[in-house]
Amino acid sequence: MILLYGLGFATSFITGRWADRLGKERVLTAALAGLVPALAGVPLVTEWTALLVICLVLWGVLQSLAVTLLSTLLSECSERHRGTVLAFYSLATNLAVALGAALLAPLFTSYGFTAVGWVCAAITLIAFGLGAWMYVRDKRPRSAVQPSDQEGEAKEMTHKD
């Protein structure tokens, strides 16, 4: 199972090109949307080898896209604070893995793999909703009163710590 997920994850050298061409934010949002059924589907198709293979590879492809694009977008947020941003991203990722394993273990023990898949799919659905909301919000026309992002960055670069 892990090998199939890993093969999907290894496609990032191909899928990264799609993200560059189609837009990182758009592809990240689509990857999160695709992860929801993939995560929910894996425990439901364990009896059907072909469907399980497809779900595992799809999970790896979409997970690779999400992780790569999120770290890329975060690293592009601020030249000045890139190291701090990525350090907090790493901290959040490692905490999520540790807490997820600790908190979902009793769920797995009591209700099985399907319940864990549904919880992971629900968490990813929330992330997709937030990502889609931010994508749509950032694509709206800006008011003449609000400073542009470039002006904000220029002001940020002129201030010294």
Side-chain angles (χ1 to χ4, degrees):
M1 284 178 58
I2 295 295
L3 179 62
L4 294 167
Y5 168 82
L7 287 172
F9 209 90
T11 63
S12 61
F13 71 94
I14 296 168
T15 58
R17 293 180 191 165
W18 299 340
D20 289 338
R21 205 174 19 240
L22 299 172
K24 293 178 188 88
E25 295 92 351
R26 179 183 300 163
V27 174
L28 175 59
T29 303
L32 290 171
L35 273 170
V36 173
L39 291 169
V42 167
L44 299 175
V45 298
T46 56
E47 300 296 320
W48 299 283
T49 304
L51 286 175
L52 182 61
V53 166
I54 291 167
C55 278
L56 290 169
V57 172
L58 183 63
W59 177 21
V61 169
L62 295 172
Q63 186 72 31
S64 170
L65 268 171
V67 169
T68 303
L69 291 173
L70 187 54
S71 61
T72 300
L73 289 168
L74 286 171
S75 70
E76 293 173 351
C77 283
S78 171
E79 181 75 29
R80 186 169 140 213
H81 300 290
R82 179 175 292 152
T84 303
V85 168
L86 291 176
F88 276 112
Y89 172 66
S90 179
L91 173 67
T93 301
N94 289 312
L95 280 175
V97 169
L99 287 172
L103 297 175
L104 294 176
L107 182 71
F108 175 77
T109 302
S110 298
Y111 300 101
F113 188 45
T114 303
V116 173
W118 282 101
V119 168
C120 291
I123 292 168
T124 305
L125 182 62
I126 292 168
F128 161 71
L130 290 170
W133 172 71
M134 292 183 73
Y135 178 75
V136 169
R137 186 193 70 175
D138 288 347
K139 296 302 176 195
R140 288 187 307 192
R142 298 192 187 264
S143 165
V145 177
Q146 290 177 316
S148 72
D149 288 339
Q150 292 169 343
E151 290 172 5
E153 265 187 35
K155 287 179 185 174
E156 178 184 316
M157 293 170 81
T158 60
H159 294 296
K160 304 240 190 234
D161 288 335

